[in-house]
Amino acid sequence: MSKISGADIVLRCLQELGVDTLFGYPGGVVLPLYDRFPQYPDINHILVRHEQAAGHAADGYARASGKLGVALATSGPGATNLVTAITNAHMDSVPTLFITGNVTRSLLGKDGFQEADITGITMPTVKHNYLVMRPDDLAYAFKEAAYIATTGRPGAVHIDIPKDVFIEEAEFSWPETINVRGYNPPSTAEQDSIQQAAEIIDQSERPLIFAGHGIILSDAADDLRKFAEKSGTPVVNTLLGLGSIAPDHVLSYGMMGMHGSYWANHAASNADVIIGLGMRMDDRALGRFEDMNPTAKIIHVDIDPAEHQKNLETHVPIVGNVCDVLKQLTNTVQKATHPDWLSWIDDLRIGHRASMSVPEGPELTAQYAIARIADYIGTESVLCTGVGQHQMWSAQFGAISRPRQFITSGGLGTMGFEVPAAMGAQAACPDRSVWTICGDGGFQMTFQEIGTMVDAKLPVRMAIMNNCYLGMVRQWQELFYDQNLVDVDISQPDFLKIAEAYGIKGIRVDNQEDVDAAIEEAEATEGPVLIDFRVVRQDNVWPMVPAGAALSETIESAEESGMS
Amino acid sequence: MKVSRNGSRQTIAALVEDRPGVLTRVASLFRRRGYNIESLAVGTTDEQGVSRMTIVVEGTSEVGDQVAKQLDKLIDVINAAVLDSTESIERELALIKVMARPDQRREILDVVEIFRASVVDLSVSSLIIQITAANETIEALTDNLRPYGILEMVRTGAIALVRGEDTTQVVEFEDDELRRFHMESGRIPTGQLPHLSD
């Protein structure tokens, strides 16, 4: 067998893995790899403007497509710039592969130019990482890395490759099998635990499902619907679980948690049996753990056993892939209906609908703009967000109806995610309309990527909810820091001039009446397009469960919070 | 062993891949999750490429279970389990250097004998005592020696095995090629690196 360079081996590995798109930024030590890109025209390298964006784009690509997202950076600063994106992807269990170059092997550990101990840095924020010291090991490392990233609870995996490993030659053979004896991702659950759970569900009068990101990651939306329908169990979603069940389904009750609905949160507090599916009992979803619902029996299905009993005591922990476990549960539970329980929640929904509605009035609010966008673009589009008030309003009014429609940074809460993640989603879904709801703060963190969108012809529609404030921070200062507003009143550049500078269309909207026309124009324009929605400055996200409060303490308005 | 399953110490046995970084990964996990390590002992096993860690952590049995599950999540940890103290044998080695004037030696030797410890070094004014025992026995011995003046002591940290025929785990076989990849990845290859100009 003839020998090829390590760089060629890396690219052959990507071909074997079916990777057709990666996001990256060149630099000294990865030049041997970039040198070979022209020989692999089936691998589309998208050149970003900042490595963090390459990472978020790979993340958005993976969330939108379900495929492995790949990002590439050079050593030192290139690699450290990836760290936020790596942490973000891993926190939300997104299957991603991060490749970095490093200094030549003989310089490792000698503090050479642009050397960073990047495997040491990423170690606590990845599922696994590698420093590959021989070109013969590259194929093993890539096959194992992709396997680990995409199976079990998916996550971020990082491979670091010294420059001379790209140059040294070795034989390439794609390993037929891999054997990772410290890693055995579960599939179906043990029948004992299924039986135990089914008995509890069959005897329940007020069962409730918490459906999380796991449903989407394991393509289990159909299984969720079938299980909920057979057992007559209503469903509430975590933020990242939105899309696992359509909002118009009779058993669907929307989002729970810090900015979830009054009825979803009270259903959670009043259920007698809670079935957590592919969610990790996070503090933002559950409020104060000990008072979430102390009397309910809790069944917790997760592929990662370390999530069981971590935050909340669970009566029946079930380890397994949620799509398999749901089939097992559906086969085991008895058919049931719970009309009294559903009408109890329905009554709450009717009585408290106001706090989950677009505010009435003539002013241009972010809620109104987001609801109009969602209505116009429909469920076949992709809706991305940044982090903050606009994110919560997108969750509330985005009418998220299908898996992979909604792309948002949940666990890490990364401002600046909106623009690059949407770019990645657009690369993954060239035939879908991709919209990203941006905060005026977050947009300013990563808008340099408009340049990438222009070059790579990624027609993302960016809608800035511009209130000239770091809105969510201001909301917390108003509510919990005695209205002492500090460093939240930020000046804005003229966003239309930014659009103009990048040669894309920019539209400004100041009034409610102009919203529909702007959305229509943006959809009709060959993107990218930017819309600057100048929304009301003072507005807060309701309902809200204050940090450290219980879900039953959901506040629905400023008046109720004691703030006038 | 007197520590109950619900006591304030938990012993965890973990089989880990013998490869660069594995100790960092384990240590990093403890730091990140805020677990308090009382002792950590690492050594090879009879399986090439596999090491065994015995980790004693402070905390309830719930903490022990969390630690074991978090450890098991690490790819380089082959498996990890909390050992039931009544179902396992736990031992630790300690060397204790104690002040001993000639007129006190007899007394100290009586203590040594009661604890089935042994004297491994003797000088005019000091003794080094070696003991292999469970944690509590070592604590009791040191309590008894303290009045004479302990100059310094060193302990290995606990190691433990499950009683009877049961083993903590069965290790899957790894072929030579794969073992080499796993053991060497991250290590600078032995011998001269090829000279590669840019």
Side-chain angles (χ1 to χ4, degrees), chain A residues 289-308:
Chain A
F289 296 125
E290 53 272 29
D291 294 319
M292 194 273 292
N293 185 334
T295 57
K297 285 217 164 64
I298 294 171
I299 298 163
H300 186 189
V301 181
D302 205 290
I303 200 162
D304 178 359
E307 291 302 340
H308 293 132

Side-chain angles (χ1 to χ4, degrees), chain A residues 270-546:
Chain A
N270 285 279
D272 64 348
V273 170
I274 286 168
I275 310 159
L277 299 174
M279 49 86 67
R280 57 187 175 83
M281 302 289 177
D282 170 62
D283 59 290
R284 283 295 188 268
L286 266 59
R288 188 167 67 238
F289 296 125
E290 53 272 29
D291 294 319
M292 194 273 292
N293 185 334
T295 57
K297 285 217 164 64
I298 294 171
I299 298 163
H300 186 189
V301 181
D302 205 290
I303 200 162
D304 178 359
E307 291 302 340
H308 293 132
Q309 323 283 10
K310 187 182 77 178
N311 292 340
L312 200 68
E313 200 191 326
T314 302
H315 301 86
V316 187
I318 300 181
V319 180
N321 190 340
V322 72
C323 71
D324 296 316
V325 175
L326 276 169
K327 289 183 184 84
Q328 290 176 283
L329 279 174
T330 308
N331 286 334
T332 316
V333 293
Q334 287 165 14
K335 199 163 168 37
T337 53
H338 301 282
D340 293 348
W341 171 226
L342 291 187
S343 67
W344 185 85
I345 311 175
D346 284 332
D347 286 348
L348 282 185
R349 178 152 64 177
I350 293 160
H352 294 266
R353 195 180 285 285
S355 66
M356 262 297 200
S357 303
V358 173
E360 287 174 13
E363 288 176 310
L364 174 59
T365 61
Q367 296 93 311
Y368 179 84
I370 291 166
R372 294 307 304 153
I373 291 170
D375 188 55
Y376 189 88
I377 67 177
T379 59
E380 287 309 310
S381 311
V382 175
L383 192 70
C384 306
T385 80
V387 170
Q389 289 184 320
H390 71 279
Q391 176 189 32
M392 292 300 120
W393 284 321
S394 299
Q396 293 176 341
F397 303 108
I400 310 304
S401 306
R402 64 167 182 91
R404 307 193 184 284
Q405 180 189 348
F406 188 52
I407 294 176
T408 193
S409 165
L412 195 64
T414 309
M415 282 175 68
F417 180 70
E418 54 264 64
V419 174
M423 181 170 93
Q426 185 74 78
C429 308
D431 300 329
R432 291 188 194 273
S433 174
V434 175
W435 280 71
T436 185
I437 310 297
C438 309
D440 52 81
F443 180 80
Q444 291 187 65
M445 288 185 170
T446 48
F447 74 75
Q448 78 282 345
E449 297 306 321
I450 297 172
T452 308
M453 293 178 190
V454 171
D455 284 355
K457 301 195 168 37
L458 298 168
V460 174
R461 272 88 186 163
M462 291 162 276
I464 305 174
M465 298 300 134
N466 183 0
N467 62 358
C468 301
Y469 265 130
L470 301 178
M472 188 59 96
V473 181
R474 193 212 57 220
Q475 176 166 349
W476 280 57
Q477 290 180 344
E478 284 181 3
L479 295 174
F480 312 120
Y481 292 85
D482 206 16
Q483 311 216 38
N484 183 26
L485 304 192
V486 180
D487 288 330
V488 286
D489 189 351
I490 55 172
S491 75
Q492 308 298 17
D494 183 336
F495 289 126
L496 295 199
K497 287 201 174 134
I498 288 173
E500 192 190 339
Y502 283 102
I504 67 167
K505 183 163 199 67
I507 305 165
R508 174 159 294 141
V509 179
D510 293 295
N511 307 302
Q512 256 190 35
E513 302 79 66
D514 300 334
V515 169
D516 286 9
I519 298 169
E520 209 167 316
E521 189 182 352
E523 274 285 86
T525 306
E526 186 133 335
V529 190
L530 183 156
I531 313 179
D532 180 16
F533 286 100
R534 307 284 290 258
V535 299
V536 291
R537 291 206 78 198
Q538 307 280 352
D539 202 354
N540 287 335
V541 183
W542 305 107
M544 180 174 195
V545 180

Side-chain angles (χ1 to χ4, degrees), chain A residues 23 55-70 89 93-97 213 216-217 404 407 421 424-425 428:
Chain A
F23 303 87
H56 288 323
D59 184 334
Y61 178 93
R63 292 187 207 228
S65 66
K67 295 195 288 185
L68 181 68
V70 185
S93 310
V94 180
T96 38
L97 176 62
H213 201 197
I216 291 164
L217 291 168
R404 307 193 184 284
I407 294 176

Side-chain angles (χ1 to χ4, degrees), chain A residues 104-106 108 123-124 126-134 136-137 140-141 144 148 153 163-165 167-168 178-184 304-310, chain B residues 17 21 24-25 28 31-33 47 49-50 66 69-70 72-78 171-174 177-178 180-182 184-189 193-194 196-198:
Chain A
T104 55
R105 286 170 288 184
S106 55
L108 274 175
M123 200 173 274
V126 291
K127 191 165 171 186
H128 198 49
N129 64 10
Y130 302 82
L131 169 56
V132 183
M133 295 294 248
R134 296 158 45 126
D136 337 44
D137 289 342
Y140 260 128
E144 200 176 282
I148 290 172
R153 179 179 181 176
K163 179 178 187 179
D164 55 336
V165 174
I167 299 169
E168 195 186 332
I178 38 164
N179 175 10
V180 197
R181 58 187 172 185
Y183 177 65
N184 302 297
D304 178 359
E307 291 302 340
H308 293 132
Q309 323 283 10
K310 187 182 77 178
Chain B
E17 301 286 356
T24 316
R25 287 182 206 275
S28 168
R31 177 198 52 76
R32 146 125 169 74
R33 303 265 174 200
E47 179 83 22
V50 178
Q66 253 305 305
K69 289 192 289 189
Q70 292 290 354
D72 214 4
K73 238 167 109 164
L74 296 175
I75 307 291
D76 284 346
V77 172
I78 299 166
V171 175
E172 271 173 66
F173 175 74
E174 222 175 28
E177 181 76 1
L178 199 59
R180 192 203 54 69
F181 162 59
H182 282 146
E184 289 183 8
S185 80
R187 264 186 201 136
I188 293 181
L193 287 172
L196 298 164
S197 68
D198 291 0

